[in-house]
Amino acid sequence: MSKDDGRRIWMVGPPGRTVVATDSDGAVIGTANMYANRGGPGSHVASASFMVDPERARQGAGRALGEEVLAWARSSGFRAIQFNAVVETNAPAVALWRSLGFNVLTSVPEAFEHPVHGYVGLLIMHRFL
Amino acid sequence: MSKDDGRRIWMVGPPGRTVVATDSDGAVIGTANMYANRGGPGSHVASASFMVDPERARQGAGRALGEEVLAWARSSGFRAIQFNAVVETNAPAVALWRSLGFNVLTSVPEAFEHPVHGYVGLLIMHRFL
C-alpha cells in the first residue's frame, strides 16, 4: 500500500481528527481516527477507529489513543461515544474500553470473519460523556 | 437540493444497489439503498437505508423495499442484514422490520435527536439469511 493509499483509507480531516501514538524514540506504534458516528440528528455521538502495531502491544498505545479520543469528543461537545465493531475475541481491547468507561450494548452475532476463530461477534460499545 | 446532490448523497453503485418503489401511476413513493455494512472481514453482512414519502405512508412501499433488500442480500450471498439506526419511536418501521424477520439487538441510548421527542434511542436490528 502506498502512503497516499494509506492516507486516503485511514486519515480523517476536520471536524474529525487522526492522531498517532509514538514511543520515546518517536516511532509510530499506533493510530486512531475520530469523527461523528452519523450526520444530522445523530451527529452528537462520536465514534473512532484504532490500530496498534501488534509487535508493540501492551505498551500503552491503545490506552493513550482511547484517552485522546475521550478528550477530543468531550472538547468537541459530543454527548456520547459509540464503537461499532469491537471484535469480541479481542479481550485486551474489550478490557481496555471497559476500563475507560465503555459498556457493551450488544454483540452482533457472527459479524466478523476472524482468521483463526471463524465467524465471531462484533461488540457495540458505548459510553456517555 | 439539486438532482446531482441527491444522487451523490443517496445513490449507491455496484456492488451495492439503489431502487425505488412506485405507485401504479409510476410516481416514486419511496427508495432504498443496499450495500455491505463493512468491508473486509465484515463484508458478509449487508445493510440498507430507506426513505418513504410521508404522504404516501401505509401504501406498502416500505414492505416492498424491505423485501427487495432481502432478495438482493440473499442473491448476493450475504449471511445476514444489519440495520444500524432504526429510530425507536418509529413504531411502524420497527413493526415492519420485525414482520420481515428482524430482531432488535439493542437500542443505542439517546443516539437520535428527534424533532418532537428529543433524544431517543436508535435500534440496531438484525436477521440472518
Side-chain angles (χ1 to χ4, degrees):
Chain A
M1 187 187 297
S2 73
K3 190 179 276 191
D4 277 353
D5 284 343
R7 208 175 278 274
R8 183 174 48 77
I9 291 171
W10 182 252
M11 285 193 71
V12 174
R17 189 160 168 250
T18 302
V19 297
V20 296
T22 59
D23 66 14
S24 54
D25 295 328
V28 172
I29 61 176
T31 177
N33 56 39
M34 52 206 88
Y35 40 84
N37 191 48
R38 311 195 150 272
S43 60
H44 56 288
V45 180
S47 191
S49 303
F50 301 85
M51 291 194 292
V52 173
D53 182 345
E55 296 183 4
R56 305 300 294 271
R58 298 170 196 275
Q59 293 178 19
R63 178 171 299 274
L65 292 165
E67 288 172 348
E68 182 64 24
V69 167
L70 277 165
W72 168 84
R74 282 198 182 98
S75 68
S76 301
F78 288 97
R79 293 170 48 95
I81 303 177
Q82 176 179 343
F83 294 155
N84 296 296
V86 181
V87 179
E88 69 180 356
T89 52
N90 186 355
V94 177
L96 172 60
W97 304 141
R98 283 191 191 278
S99 79
L100 290 177
F102 289 81
N103 299 305
V104 173
L105 292 182
T106 192
S107 175
V108 183
E110 302 181 19
F112 185 85
E113 190 171 8
H114 192 286
V116 174
H117 304 296
Y119 290 108
V120 300
L122 284 177
L123 303 184
I124 294 171
M125 300 188 74
H126 178 273
R127 68 158 287 170
F128 284 111
L129 295 174
Chain B
M1 188 187 298
S2 73
K3 191 179 274 191
D4 278 353
D5 284 343
R7 206 177 279 274
R8 181 174 49 77
I9 291 170
W10 183 253
M11 287 194 69
V12 175
R17 188 161 168 249
T18 301
V19 297
V20 296
T22 59
D23 66 12
S24 54
D25 295 328
V28 172
I29 61 176
T31 177
N33 56 42
M34 52 205 90
Y35 40 84
N37 191 48
R38 312 195 148 272
S43 60
H44 56 288
V45 180
S47 191
S49 303
F50 302 85
M51 290 193 292
V52 173
D53 181 344
E55 296 183 6
R56 304 302 292 271
R58 299 171 195 274
Q59 294 178 17
R63 179 171 299 274
L65 292 166
E67 288 172 347
E68 182 64 24
V69 167
L70 278 166
W72 168 83
R74 283 197 182 97
S75 68
S76 301
F78 288 98
R79 293 170 47 94
I81 303 177
Q82 176 179 344
F83 294 155
N84 296 295
V86 181
V87 179
E88 70 181 354
T89 52
N90 186 355
V94 177
L96 173 59
W97 304 142
R98 283 191 191 279
S99 79
L100 289 177
F102 288 82
N103 299 305
V104 173
L105 291 182
T106 192
S107 175
V108 183
E110 302 180 19
F112 186 85
E113 190 171 8
H114 191 286
V116 175
H117 304 297
Y119 290 109
V120 300
L122 285 176
L123 304 183
I124 294 171
M125 300 189 74
H126 179 273
R127 68 158 289 173
F128 284 111
L129 296 174

